[in-house]
Amino acid sequence: MRLGITILVVILCHATLAQSTITIAQGSFKVAGLSEETLSFGFAQGDEISFSLTEEKGKDIREIEIIEYPSSSRYSQFKSSKVHQTLEVARTGIYQFRVNNGSISGRVCKYSITRKPSSPDTQNFNTSVYWETHYDTTWVDEIETYLSRDEYVPKVIIPSSDFYINSGSNAMLLGGTSRITIPLNMPPNTVKWFYEFSASREKSDVENVKASFGLMGQLVSSIEPSMAIANIGMNLLATPPGADQCDIYLLDFENKQFFERKEDHLLRHYSDGSRENMKSGIVEIPWVAQQQLYLGIRNPSGSFGIHVTVEVVAIVHEQEYAEQTVTLPQVKTYKTPYLKN
């Protein structure tokens, strides 16, 4: 008799354990306007799921759905503010509780999710859902633009040219001018420029000097196309000979007019680009103005005319771009849920 009672007690305890209800999750969450929230939990075969949800202000929710992962809809309710649903789990798996808010205003939902195991063997079933990240890599061809040429190139702005400038007294008596201006038109992307000059009373001297003028050639032979522009030094350039003095001024348009009208009391010039009482020289201008510039050349002699030879060369930063096809990886990431039981 005592053995029978013991067996009956074990059976009753087993049945009671199998029927106990376990709370999986409860609380509240907010679903923002025009969005959705999804809760995911694992359940064992034979479980009875109980799902309750209430919108705290009684406002309708567009859709409430229970999905057996990955895509089997087990329950769906539209335009409701309250849901209570019970389901039986046919096979162990993941269930997702999806709340979709179709309103522009948010919804606050209170919820409860419980499970009732069908067997003591699943009483301690781990309902947590874990996520595994996957990387899906594909290779695609794309057109890429790249810098194919990047060089500093000398370019002639004013080729070696001879100008005759009369003396002040001869200009007054015999005509001509004791000063001239030369416009300087720099190409785009000029980073610095040079001018070379030589002065002499004798035309034959100037012709000989002019034949040996070679600022462009010196820069071409001295500059590596890819070298840093700051490394171009004046010590690389040979100054031409000269016999008589001249004045050369670097001017903007306003001061060009003062210079031509001989209003020297108003004259302002760029000192780093100007030279006075010089027979010859090479002048480096390490900057480029936005406005039009001019070289103003004056004969300081009151008695003798002079011949002045001038050459101007700019250093231009040239870049060219080309296209090429490159194969690049495109990595897409996605996550899948899994259980650890």
Side-chain angles (χ1 to χ4, degrees):
M1 181 66 178
R2 183 176 296 174
L3 178 61
I5 293 173
T6 301
I7 294 173
L8 179 60
V9 170
V10 171
I11 293 173
L12 290 174
C13 289
H14 186 280
T16 301
L17 184 62
Q19 295 299 319
S20 63
T21 298
I22 302 171
T23 299
I24 302 301
Q26 64 181 1
S28 62
F29 58 86
K30 183 176 181 179
V31 186
L34 303 176
S35 65
E36 66 179 39
E37 295 289 337
T38 301
L39 305 174
S40 300
F41 298 97
F43 294 90
Q45 181 178 348
D47 279 359
E48 181 182 276
I49 301 173
S50 180
F51 173 58
S52 298
L53 183 139
T54 303
E55 206 289 321
E56 70 171 7
K57 294 184 179 180
K59 295 181 179 180
D60 284 347
I61 299 172
R62 181 165 67 178
E63 183 181 11
I64 303 169
E65 185 179 23
I66 303 175
I67 301 168
E68 183 181 354
Y69 183 83
S71 59
S72 178
S73 180
R74 295 292 306 277
Y75 170 80
S76 183
Q77 179 67 45
F78 292 89
K79 292 186 178 180
S80 177
S81 62
K82 182 182 295 187
V83 164
H84 180 79
Q85 182 64 28
T86 301
L87 296 175
E88 290 188 3
V89 177
R91 56 183 176 273
T92 299
I94 296 171
Y95 280 70
Q96 296 180 318
F97 303 84
R98 185 175 69 90
V99 181
N100 182 281
N101 179 17
S103 172
I104 60 174
S105 59
R107 296 286 188 264
V108 177
C109 302
K110 295 181 179 180
Y111 75 100
S112 174
I113 301 173
T114 65
R115 61 180 286 260
K116 184 182 291 185
S118 63
S119 166
D121 296 336
T122 59
Q123 180 74 18
N124 296 319
F125 184 84
N126 183 1
T127 60
S128 297
V129 172
Y130 304 88
W131 296 88
E132 181 178 6
T133 301
H134 304 270
Y135 301 92
D136 186 8
T137 302
T138 58
W139 296 86
V140 296
D141 290 339
E142 293 186 0
I143 302 299
E144 178 184 75
T145 300
Y146 68 97
L147 184 63
S148 60
R149 188 171 72 91
D150 188 7
E151 298 179 344
Y152 293 97
V153 180
K155 290 194 172 183
V156 174
I157 306 305
I158 298 175
S160 180
S161 303
D162 181 17
F163 301 91
Y164 179 73
I165 307 175
N166 215 338
S167 65
S169 59
N170 287 341
M172 294 178 61
L173 297 174
L174 304 176
T177 180
S178 61
R179 56 184 71 193
I180 63 170
T181 54
I182 305 171
L184 301 170
N185 299 307
M186 298 298 165
N189 302 316
T190 296
V191 293
K192 66 166 55 178
W193 56 281
F194 300 79
Y195 71 84
E196 180 179 26
F197 69 97
S198 176
S200 179
R201 297 178 191 173
E202 302 297 330
K203 185 174 179 60
S204 58
D205 292 343
V206 171
E207 290 297 330
N208 292 332
V209 171
K210 184 178 178 182
S212 65
F213 249 46
L215 179 58
M216 177 65 179
Q218 290 189 73
L219 289 172
V220 168
S221 62
S222 300
I223 299 173
E224 291 293 333
S226 60
M227 75 183 295
I229 193 65
N231 292 337
I232 302 174
M234 292 297 295
N235 59 325
L236 301 175
L237 307 177
T239 302
D244 292 276
Q245 294 177 338
C246 69
D247 299 330
I248 299 185
Y249 302 100
L250 182 59
L251 308 168
D252 59 19
F253 178 74
E254 180 182 19
N255 285 283
K256 164 190 173 289
Q257 294 177 308
F258 294 149
F259 179 78
E260 290 175 338
R261 294 197 297 258
K262 300 184 179 181
E263 297 176 336
D264 293 343
H265 63 288
L266 299 175
L267 183 65
R268 298 292 183 271
H269 58 82
Y270 296 98
S271 59
D272 57 347
S274 303
R275 299 292 186 269
E276 293 182 322
N277 299 316
M278 295 286 290
K279 296 178 180 180
S280 65
I282 295 178
V283 181
E284 176 187 11
I285 314 299
W287 50 268
V288 180
Q290 298 299 317
Q291 72 272 30
Q292 175 75 60
L293 294 182
Y294 303 83
L295 285 180
I297 306 176
R298 180 175 65 184
N299 180 1
S301 172
S303 305
F304 303 98
I306 57 172
H307 297 270
V308 178
T309 302
V310 176
E311 182 179 357
V312 180
V313 178
I315 307 299
V316 181
H317 188 194
E318 291 189 346
Q319 293 180 319
E320 290 182 0
Y321 291 86
E323 292 183 344
Q324 64 182 357
T325 301
V326 295
T327 302
L328 300 174
Q330 286 190 348
V331 181
K332 296 181 180 179
T333 61
Y334 63 95
K335 294 183 178 182
T336 55
Y338 65 96
L339 302 174
K340 286 188 177 181
N341 290 281

mmCIF file of all heavy atoms in Angstrom, residues 70-87:
data_model
loop_
_atom_site.group_PDB
_atom_site.id
_atom_site.type_symbol
_atom_site.label_atom_id
_atom_site.label_comp_id
_atom_site.label_asym_id
_atom_site.label_seq_id
_atom_site.Cartn_x
_atom_site.Cartn_y
_atom_site.Cartn_z
ATOM 1 N N PRO A 70 11.734 30.619 -39.884
ATOM 2 C CA PRO A 70 12.065 31.960 -40.389
ATOM 3 C C PRO A 70 10.884 32.763 -40.941
ATOM 4 O O PRO A 70 10.919 33.972 -40.977
ATOM 5 C CB PRO A 70 13.051 31.654 -41.500
ATOM 6 C CG PRO A 70 12.631 30.336 -42.016
ATOM 7 C CD PRO A 70 12.125 29.558 -40.843
ATOM 8 N N SER A 71 9.780 32.079 -41.374
ATOM 9 C CA SER A 71 8.768 32.863 -42.088
ATOM 10 C C SER A 71 7.354 32.336 -41.957
ATOM 11 O O SER A 71 6.464 32.775 -42.674
ATOM 12 C CB SER A 71 9.140 32.932 -43.581
ATOM 13 O OG SER A 71 9.218 31.634 -44.146
ATOM 14 N N SER A 72 7.130 31.419 -41.055
ATOM 15 C CA SER A 72 5.789 30.844 -40.921
ATOM 16 C C SER A 72 4.973 31.653 -39.923
ATOM 17 O O SER A 72 5.259 31.661 -38.720
ATOM 18 C CB SER A 72 5.889 29.386 -40.470
ATOM 19 O OG SER A 72 4.598 28.834 -40.301
ATOM 20 N N SER A 73 3.958 32.349 -40.408
ATOM 21 C CA SER A 73 3.123 33.171 -39.537
ATOM 22 C C SER A 73 2.133 32.269 -38.792
ATOM 23 O O SER A 73 1.320 31.571 -39.393
ATOM 24 C CB SER A 73 2.354 34.213 -40.363
ATOM 25 O OG SER A 73 1.548 35.016 -39.525
ATOM 26 N N ARG A 74 2.211 32.296 -37.466
ATOM 27 C CA ARG A 74 1.317 31.464 -36.648
ATOM 28 C C ARG A 74 0.131 32.248 -36.113
ATOM 29 O O ARG A 74 -0.873 31.664 -35.726
ATOM 30 C CB ARG A 74 2.119 30.885 -35.480
ATOM 31 C CG ARG A 74 3.223 29.910 -35.881
ATOM 32 C CD ARG A 74 2.646 28.623 -36.438
ATOM 33 N NE ARG A 74 1.702 28.017 -35.519
ATOM 34 C CZ ARG A 74 2.045 27.240 -34.488
ATOM 35 N NH1 ARG A 74 3.326 26.949 -34.285
ATOM 36 N NH2 ARG A 74 1.120 26.749 -33.677
ATOM 37 N N TYR A 75 0.262 33.560 -36.110
ATOM 38 C CA TYR A 75 -0.848 34.380 -35.625
ATOM 39 C C TYR A 75 -0.649 35.803 -36.126
ATOM 40 O O TYR A 75 0.472 36.310 -36.175
ATOM 41 C CB TYR A 75 -0.908 34.371 -34.098
ATOM 42 C CG TYR A 75 -1.879 35.369 -33.532
ATOM 43 C CD1 TYR A 75 -3.245 35.112 -33.485
ATOM 44 C CD2 TYR A 75 -1.433 36.606 -33.044
ATOM 45 C CE1 TYR A 75 -4.141 36.038 -32.966
ATOM 46 C CE2 TYR A 75 -2.310 37.539 -32.533
ATOM 47 C CZ TYR A 75 -3.670 37.254 -32.502
ATOM 48 O OH TYR A 75 -4.548 38.180 -32.000
ATOM 49 N N SER A 76 -1.750 36.454 -36.499
ATOM 50 C CA SER A 76 -1.688 37.836 -36.945
ATOM 51 C C SER A 76 -2.980 38.544 -36.587
ATOM 52 O O SER A 76 -4.073 37.991 -36.774
ATOM 53 C CB SER A 76 -1.451 37.892 -38.469
ATOM 54 O OG SER A 76 -1.334 39.225 -38.895
ATOM 55 N N GLN A 77 -2.840 39.743 -36.063
ATOM 56 C CA GLN A 77 -3.988 40.556 -35.686
ATOM 57 C C GLN A 77 -3.761 41.985 -36.158
ATOM 58 O O GLN A 77 -2.704 42.572 -35.922
ATOM 59 C CB GLN A 77 -4.180 40.544 -34.164
ATOM 60 C CG GLN A 77 -5.345 41.373 -33.669
ATOM 61 C CD GLN A 77 -6.698 40.807 -34.095
ATOM 62 O OE1 GLN A 77 -6.922 39.614 -33.987
ATOM 63 N NE2 GLN A 77 -7.579 41.640 -34.598
ATOM 64 N N PHE A 78 -4.767 42.556 -36.843
ATOM 65 C CA PHE A 78 -4.656 43.909 -37.381
ATOM 66 C C PHE A 78 -5.516 44.880 -36.585
ATOM 67 O O PHE A 78 -6.617 44.530 -36.126
ATOM 68 C CB PHE A 78 -5.077 43.947 -38.851
ATOM 69 C CG PHE A 78 -4.135 43.230 -39.777
ATOM 70 C CD1 PHE A 78 -4.313 41.875 -40.037
ATOM 71 C CD2 PHE A 78 -3.064 43.884 -40.352
ATOM 72 C CE1 PHE A 78 -3.459 41.203 -40.886
ATOM 73 C CE2 PHE A 78 -2.198 43.224 -41.197
ATOM 74 C CZ PHE A 78 -2.390 41.869 -41.470
ATOM 75 N N LYS A 79 -4.999 46.101 -36.456
ATOM 76 C CA LYS A 79 -5.718 47.218 -35.839
ATOM 77 C C LYS A 79 -6.369 46.807 -34.523
ATOM 78 O O LYS A 79 -7.591 46.784 -34.377
ATOM 79 C CB LYS A 79 -6.762 47.779 -36.806
ATOM 80 C CG LYS A 79 -6.125 48.464 -38.012
ATOM 81 C CD LYS A 79 -7.177 49.142 -38.881
ATOM 82 C CE LYS A 79 -6.510 49.867 -40.050
ATOM 83 N NZ LYS A 79 -7.487 50.546 -40.911
ATOM 84 N N SER A 80 -5.516 46.517 -33.601
ATOM 85 C CA SER A 80 -5.985 46.112 -32.282
ATOM 86 C C SER A 80 -5.113 46.773 -31.230
ATOM 87 O O SER A 80 -3.919 47.013 -31.452
ATOM 88 C CB SER A 80 -5.932 44.587 -32.149
ATOM 89 O OG SER A 80 -6.312 44.195 -30.845
ATOM 90 N N SER A 81 -5.720 47.073 -30.067
ATOM 91 C CA SER A 81 -4.965 47.670 -28.960
ATOM 92 C C SER A 81 -4.664 46.642 -27.873
ATOM 93 O O SER A 81 -3.933 46.945 -26.927
ATOM 94 C CB SER A 81 -5.747 48.836 -28.348
ATOM 95 O OG SER A 81 -6.981 48.364 -27.797
ATOM 96 N N LYS A 82 -5.225 45.411 -28.020
ATOM 97 C CA LYS A 82 -5.032 44.400 -26.988
ATOM 98 C C LYS A 82 -5.066 43.026 -27.632
ATOM 99 O O LYS A 82 -5.914 42.746 -28.496
ATOM 100 C CB LYS A 82 -6.108 44.508 -25.921
ATOM 101 C CG LYS A 82 -5.968 43.515 -24.776
ATOM 102 C CD LYS A 82 -7.113 43.659 -23.782
ATOM 103 C CE LYS A 82 -7.076 45.027 -23.101
ATOM 104 N NZ LYS A 82 -8.104 45.097 -22.013
ATOM 105 N N VAL A 83 -4.123 42.182 -27.213
ATOM 106 C CA VAL A 83 -4.045 40.829 -27.762
ATOM 107 C C VAL A 83 -3.718 39.861 -26.632
ATOM 108 O O VAL A 83 -2.875 40.158 -25.772
ATOM 109 C CB VAL A 83 -2.959 40.744 -28.866
ATOM 110 C CG1 VAL A 83 -2.597 39.296 -29.173
ATOM 111 C CG2 VAL A 83 -3.425 41.411 -30.129
ATOM 112 N N HIS A 84 -4.370 38.697 -26.641
ATOM 113 C CA HIS A 84 -3.972 37.569 -25.791
ATOM 114 C C HIS A 84 -4.112 36.318 -26.638
ATOM 115 O O HIS A 84 -5.216 35.984 -27.095
ATOM 116 C CB HIS A 84 -4.827 37.463 -24.530
ATOM 117 C CG HIS A 84 -4.423 36.308 -23.661
ATOM 118 N ND1 HIS A 84 -3.333 36.370 -22.825
ATOM 119 C CD2 HIS A 84 -4.953 35.057 -23.535
ATOM 120 C CE1 HIS A 84 -3.205 35.207 -22.213
ATOM 121 N NE2 HIS A 84 -4.180 34.388 -22.622
ATOM 122 N N GLN A 85 -2.991 35.624 -26.853
ATOM 123 C CA GLN A 85 -3.007 34.483 -27.757
ATOM 124 C C GLN A 85 -2.172 33.350 -27.177
ATOM 125 O O GLN A 85 -1.100 33.568 -26.616
ATOM 126 C CB GLN A 85 -2.456 34.869 -29.141
ATOM 127 C CG GLN A 85 -2.482 33.777 -30.165
ATOM 128 C CD GLN A 85 -3.900 33.342 -30.514
ATOM 129 O OE1 GLN A 85 -4.841 34.136 -30.420
ATOM 130 N NE2 GLN A 85 -4.049 32.090 -30.893
ATOM 131 N N THR A 86 -2.702 32.123 -27.337
ATOM 132 C CA THR A 86 -2.008 30.921 -26.883
ATOM 133 C C THR A 86 -1.711 30.037 -28.083
ATOM 134 O O THR A 86 -2.577 29.836 -28.953
ATOM 135 C CB THR A 86 -2.861 30.148 -25.866
ATOM 136 O OG1 THR A 86 -3.128 31.001 -24.753
ATOM 137 C CG2 THR A 86 -2.130 28.908 -25.374
ATOM 138 N N LEU A 87 -0.477 29.516 -28.135
ATOM 139 C CA LEU A 87 -0.055 28.652 -29.240
ATOM 140 C C LEU A 87 0.646 27.416 -28.684
ATOM 141 O O LEU A 87 1.276 27.472 -27.619
ATOM 142 C CB LEU A 87 0.926 29.390 -30.163
ATOM 143 C CG LEU A 87 0.425 30.610 -30.934
ATOM 144 C CD1 LEU A 87 1.607 31.245 -31.673
ATOM 145 C CD2 LEU A 87 -0.658 30.215 -31.927
#
